[in-house]
Amino acid sequence: MTLSFGDYDIDVERRELRRAKTPVHVEPQVFDLLVYLVNNRDRVVSKDDLIASVWGGRIVSDSTLTSRINAVRNAVGDSGEDKKLIRTIARKGFRFIGAVHMQPGGNEPAHFINPPPNEIQEQSRLALPLPDRPAIAVLPFINMSGDSEQEYFSDGISEDIITALSKLRWFFVIARNSSFIYKGKAVHMKQVAEELGVGYVVEGSVRKAGDSVRITVQLNDVATGSHIWAERFDRSIADVFAVQDEITEAIVAAIEPQVYAAENFRAKRKSPDSMDAWDLVMRALSHYWRVTRQDNVVAQALLEKAIAIDPHYGQALGVLATSYMFTAHMGWADMATVAPIAERASLAAILADSEDPWAHHALGCVYLFTRRFDDSLAEFELALRLNPNFSLAQGYYGLALSYCGLWEEANMAARRALRLSPRDPFSAVYYGIAAYAYFVGRDYDEAIRLSRDGLRQRSDFVGAHRVLTSAAGMAGKTDIASAALQELRRAQPNISLAWIAGQMPIKLEADREHYLEGFRRAGLG
C-alpha cells in the first residue's frame, strides 16, 4: 500500500518514504510515527496514543516526543511556521491534515480516500511497530488426531507455551487470544507478523493417540522467511509438561542465546498432579476466552471438577476466581455472593503456587471490587512482575487505576493491554477501560469514541455501554445518550443509579458523583 500527499509517497510494505520518487532517509521510529499520523488523520492523536502505538507503551519524555515530531516534519518538508501537514492541537495532541491518496499497489489507479474509523483502526494494525524486545507470536497448534474432541488438547499445548514464554520479561509475547484468531486459517507468516507486530512466529502440530503424543514445532524468523529451529517430540502423555518446557527452552535459546546463557533459563511452573485436571482446565479456558455469560458458567463447572481431582492446582483455582469476578463485573452475578467465593479460591491458589500470575490477578480483582484499592494495585503489579505479557492483568490494572482516579496511568495500562493482544475478544474490555479513563479525565468525546470502538468489537459489552451513556449525557449529546441508554438496558436489564453507586468501586466521591450525573442526564432513574 502506498500513501501519497503532495509530492511525497509512503510505501508502507517497503517502509520507504519518497519525494518525487527519490528516497528520503528517515529513522525507523520516525517512519512509524509518520505512518501512524497519516493512518489516523481523521482525528487528533494524543501523546498517549503515540506512546502506546509507536513506543509500545514505554515511558517517553516530552522532549523525545517533540524531537521525533520535528523529525517527521523535517522529513516531509513541514518544518516552517505554517505547519500545513502536521498540526499541533494545544493540550490535545497532533493531527495530520494533508490530503492523502491511497494506492493499493500494482497498476491500480490511486484514489482519494477518507476511511471511516474502523478502517483506520484496521490500517494501523498493519503497521504495528516492533517493540524493543524480541516479539513473538505462538499460533494455535494444529490438531492432527482426527478427532475434533481433542482440539482442547492441542490448544492447551499452545497456551502453556505462550504462558511460559510470557513470564520472560526480555520477550514481548502476543497474548493467546490474538494468536488464536488464526486458528483453522491458512495465513502467510508475513500477514501474521504485520497484524500482530512481531518478528518471530511459532507454529506446530499435536497428534494424540492413547497414552502417546507427538508434538512438532518450528520457530520462524519473519524477516528472513527462514526456520530458525524445528523439532519433533514423541513422548508419553505423562511427559507432556516436560516437553512444553523443552520447547520453551529451545525457543529462548534460538532467539536470545546470550540472554539464555546469562539467565540460565528454567521454566518456573508447578505442574498439576493429574493430566485429567490439566485436561479440564484447558477445556475451561477455551470457554472462558469466549467472553460470554454461558461460557463462564461452563468454565466454572469444569474448573470445579479439576479442583476436585487436584485441590492444590493453582492455575485452576486462579482461573475459577477470575471467572467469578468477571461475571460480577459484567452484572451477570451478584457481587456480594461471588466475591467471598473468589477470594477463598484466589488465596488458595496463591497458597498452592505463589508464582502463578492468575492467582494474583484474581485476588487483585477481588480486592478492587471490595474496595481495598491499595491491595488491589499491589496484586496486579505482582501478577505483571510474574508475567509481564499478561494482557488481562494489564487491562484490569488499568481498571483499578481508573477507579482510583489515576486516569492517565489507567489509559496507558489499557493501551499496553491492547498492544499485547491487538486482536482479542477481551479488547472490547480494554477499550472500555480506556474510555472510562478519558471520562474521568473529562474528555467526553474521546470516551465516546473509545466506547464505540469497544462496542464494534463486542456489541454486548456492558462496560462500554455504560461509559458511552454517561459520557454522552455529560457532553450534552442527548440523542446519543438516549440511544446508548436504551442499548445499555438491553445489555444489562438491572442497571440503575443504585446499582452503579453500590456495585462500581469508584474510590473518589467526586468521580462517583460525576459518573452518576452523566447517567442522570441520559435519563437513568
Side-chain angles (χ1 to χ4, degrees):
M1 178 177 65
T2 301
L3 302 168
S4 302
F5 51 92
D7 55 354
Y8 287 89
D9 298 302
I10 304 173
D11 189 324
V12 177
E13 290 191 0
R14 294 182 179 178
R15 295 183 61 80
E16 289 181 357
L17 174 65
R18 297 186 292 269
R19 181 179 185 183
K21 299 184 179 181
T22 300
V24 177
H25 175 72
V26 289
E27 295 179 10
Q29 194 173 71
V30 174
F31 181 87
D32 291 336
L33 181 54
L34 173 60
V35 170
Y36 185 81
L37 289 168
V38 172
N39 276 339
N40 291 273
R41 60 192 177 277
D42 73 317
R43 65 183 180 92
V44 177
V45 296
S46 67
K47 173 186 173 182
D48 289 345
D49 292 332
L50 295 175
I51 291 173
S53 299
V54 178
W55 279 270
R58 289 182 290 117
I59 296 173
V60 176
S61 67
D62 289 342
S63 61
T64 296
L65 179 61
T66 300
S67 71
R68 292 297 185 271
I69 290 288
N70 289 338
V72 171
R73 285 181 167 139
N74 288 330
V76 297
D78 192 42
S79 54
E81 293 296 323
D82 292 340
K83 303 291 188 292
K84 293 181 179 179
L85 291 176
I86 301 170
R87 181 168 296 170
T88 300
I89 312 298
R91 295 181 298 281
K92 292 290 185 180
F94 307 92
R95 185 179 178 191
F96 188 92
I97 57 173
V100 177
H101 293 70
M102 185 177 76
Q103 184 168 310
N107 296 318
E108 298 175 42
H111 57 281
F112 185 83
I113 184 165
N114 275 311
N118 60 327
E119 214 172 283
I120 290 169
Q121 186 181 37
E122 189 65 29
Q123 289 173 11
S124 65
R125 282 174 177 166
L126 299 178
L128 285 173
L130 290 175
D132 58 354
R133 294 169 282 162
I136 186 168
V138 180
L139 298 185
F141 283 22
I142 299 169
N143 171 27
M144 302 291 288
S145 303
D147 179 2
S148 60
E149 292 296 316
Q150 295 297 323
E151 286 291 324
Y152 77 90
F153 187 84
S154 55
D155 289 352
I157 298 291
S158 313
E159 182 148 353
D160 274 4
I161 293 170
I162 292 171
T163 299
L165 287 169
S166 293
K167 292 181 180 180
L168 310 177
R169 61 181 58 254
W170 59 86
F171 277 177
F172 184 95
V173 184
I174 295 297
R176 176 260 194 211
N177 285 344
S178 287
S179 298
F180 271 54
I181 68 161
Y182 302 101
K183 184 177 174 65
K185 299 178 182 177
V187 290
H188 195 278
M189 288 295 118
K190 186 177 180 183
Q191 177 188 342
V192 174
E194 288 178 341
E195 293 180 353
L196 299 182
V198 298
Y200 301 94
V201 175
V202 177
E203 58 181 343
S205 65
V206 177
R207 185 186 300 276
K208 180 185 175 187
D211 293 331
S212 300
V213 61
R214 168 174 289 183
I215 300 173
T216 61
V217 60
Q218 64 184 31
L219 173 66
N220 305 285
D221 182 338
V222 179
T224 63
S226 61
H227 304 323
I228 299 177
W229 166 80
E231 189 59 86
R232 185 180 76 187
F233 302 86
D234 290 304
R235 302 291 172 82
S236 70
I237 290 292
D239 293 331
V240 71
F241 303 126
V243 174
Q244 290 170 353
D245 287 348
E246 287 180 44
I247 292 170
T248 305
E249 188 169 354
I251 291 169
V252 175
I255 296 177
E256 287 281 82
Q258 292 82 16
V259 173
Y260 167 73
E263 298 288 339
N264 190 23
F265 166 77
R266 295 303 306 170
K268 294 180 179 178
R269 189 227 342 248
K270 188 173 181 180
S271 300
D273 294 331
S274 166
M275 277 300 301
D276 291 336
W278 182 85
D279 273 14
L280 288 164
V281 171
M282 292 307 109
R283 291 177 191 265
L285 282 168
S286 71
H287 285 280
Y288 177 77
W289 291 125
R290 294 172 192 169
V291 201
T292 71
R293 182 175 190 168
Q294 184 56 39
D295 278 300
N296 267 268
V297 171
V298 174
Q300 289 164 16
L302 291 166
L303 291 163
E304 294 280 11
K305 290 180 181 178
I307 294 163
I309 295 171
D310 186 351
H312 304 294
Y313 190 176
Q315 187 182 14
L317 290 158
V319 177
L320 178 65
T322 298
S323 177
Y324 275 124
M325 293 309 299
F326 182 70
T327 58
H329 179 206
M330 293 297 102
W332 301 334
D334 178 58
M335 184 68 72
T337 301
V338 303
I341 300 171
E343 183 170 6
R344 285 194 298 272
S346 55
L347 290 172
I350 291 171
L351 186 62
D353 184 358
S354 62
E355 298 290 307
D356 184 62
W358 276 98
H360 293 283
H361 166 73
L363 190 57
C365 290
V366 171
Y367 286 157
L368 173 60
F369 286 98
T370 53
R371 293 171 168 78
R372 285 172 277 183
F373 297 102
D374 290 342
D375 291 336
S376 174
L377 292 172
E379 288 297 327
F380 286 126
E381 288 165 4
L382 180 52
L384 290 168
R385 282 198 296 274
L386 292 168
N387 181 350
N389 297 286
F390 194 0
S391 61
L392 189 65
Q394 189 69 252
Y396 271 81
Y397 180 49
L399 184 65
L401 289 165
S402 68
Y403 283 156
C404 290
L406 303 170
W407 70 272
E408 292 173 306
E409 295 94 328
N411 176 55
M412 290 298 297
R415 291 178 184 276
R416 281 194 294 271
L418 285 165
R419 179 61 185 91
L420 284 165
S421 192
R423 309 190 60 135
D424 189 326
F426 267 89
S427 61
V429 178
Y430 307 149
Y431 277 114
I433 293 167
Y436 179 72
Y438 274 103
F439 178 88
V440 175
R442 273 58 172 177
D443 189 338
Y444 305 123
D445 288 341
E446 188 67 2
I448 290 169
R449 187 186 71 80
L450 288 165
S451 297
R452 285 173 162 168
D453 281 345
L455 292 171
R456 274 194 289 271
Q457 302 285 326
R458 290 193 72 91
S459 62
D460 61 344
F461 174 47
V462 295
H465 282 298
R466 290 196 291 252
V467 179
L468 178 59
T469 301
S470 188
M474 291 303 296
K477 299 182 178 183
T478 54
D479 290 346
I480 295 174
S482 178
L485 179 58
Q486 183 177 349
E487 290 302 312
L488 172 58
R489 283 175 167 148
R490 194 186 336 271
Q492 186 181 350
N494 68 338
I495 191 69
S496 66
L497 293 175
W499 187 94
I500 294 163
Q503 297 295 316
M504 297 192 66
I506 300 173
K507 182 178 182 180
L508 303 177
E509 184 177 346
D511 286 346
R512 185 185 311 110
E513 181 56 34
H514 173 219
Y515 201 40
L516 288 167
E517 180 60 24
F519 285 103
R520 292 190 192 101
R521 295 185 187 186
L524 182 64

